[in-house]
């Protein structure tokens, strides 16, 4: 049996696609660094080192959009793209886990 087909990505400019890709890379790295998540310091250190380059790439994607005259982020369209690319789960790794003491 085939897995369910994902909804199609909304139409994005190349720069918007680059923005989404770089943003999700940063979110993934922040999720690996999250001190509230179990893991080891080496994993967090490696992610933090990689974060510098990915944050620069994210900045460059936004700079390019601005230089091309794309001064407005179309939040609804970009949010749909993030959902298709599993952005909710990936961003959830950055959040604090529920308090287990209560």
């Amino acid at each position: 049996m085939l897995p369910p087909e994902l909804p199609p990505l909304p139409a994005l400019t190349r720069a918007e696609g680059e923005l989404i890709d770089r943003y999700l890379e940063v979110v993934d790295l922040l999720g690996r660094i999250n001190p509230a998540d179990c893991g080891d310091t080496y994993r967090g250190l490696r992610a933090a080192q990689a974060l510098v380059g990915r944050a620069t790439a994210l900045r460059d994607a936004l700079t390019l959009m601005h230089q091309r005259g794309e001064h407005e982020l179309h939040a609804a369209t970009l949010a749909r793209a993030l959902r298709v690319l599993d952005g909710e789960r990936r961003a959830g790794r950055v959040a604090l886990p529920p308090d287990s003491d209560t």
Side-chain angles (χ1 to χ4, degrees), residues 33-47:
I33 298 168
N34 187 349
D37 192 14
C38 57
D40 57 44
T41 55
Y42 186 71
R43 180 180 107 160
L45 172 63
R46 297 287 298 172

Side-chain angles (χ1 to χ4, degrees), residues 37-80:
D37 192 14
C38 57
D40 57 44
T41 55
Y42 186 71
R43 180 180 107 160
L45 172 63
R46 297 287 298 172
Q49 291 169 334
L51 183 60
V52 176
R54 296 295 85 208
T56 299
L58 176 59
R59 181 206 59 204
D60 293 347
L62 285 162
T63 299
L64 181 61
M65 286 181 72
H66 186 73
Q67 289 172 343
R68 288 184 176 173
E70 296 181 48
H71 299 295
E72 186 178 333
L73 294 176
H74 301 283
T77 302
L78 296 173
R80 274 197 343 260

Side-chain angles (χ1 to χ4, degrees), residues 5-63:
E5 191 171 322
L6 292 174
L9 273 173
L12 301 174
T13 66
R14 184 175 297 152
E16 286 173 327
E18 186 76 14
L19 169 65
I20 293 293
D21 289 343
R22 299 301 74 85
Y23 174 78
L24 287 173
E25 288 174 352
V26 167
V27 166
D28 288 340
L29 289 170
L30 287 172
R32 288 175 46 199
I33 298 168
N34 187 349
D37 192 14
C38 57
D40 57 44
T41 55
Y42 186 71
R43 180 180 107 160
L45 172 63
R46 297 287 298 172
Q49 291 169 334
L51 183 60
V52 176
R54 296 295 85 208
T56 299
L58 176 59
R59 181 206 59 204
D60 293 347
L62 285 162
T63 299

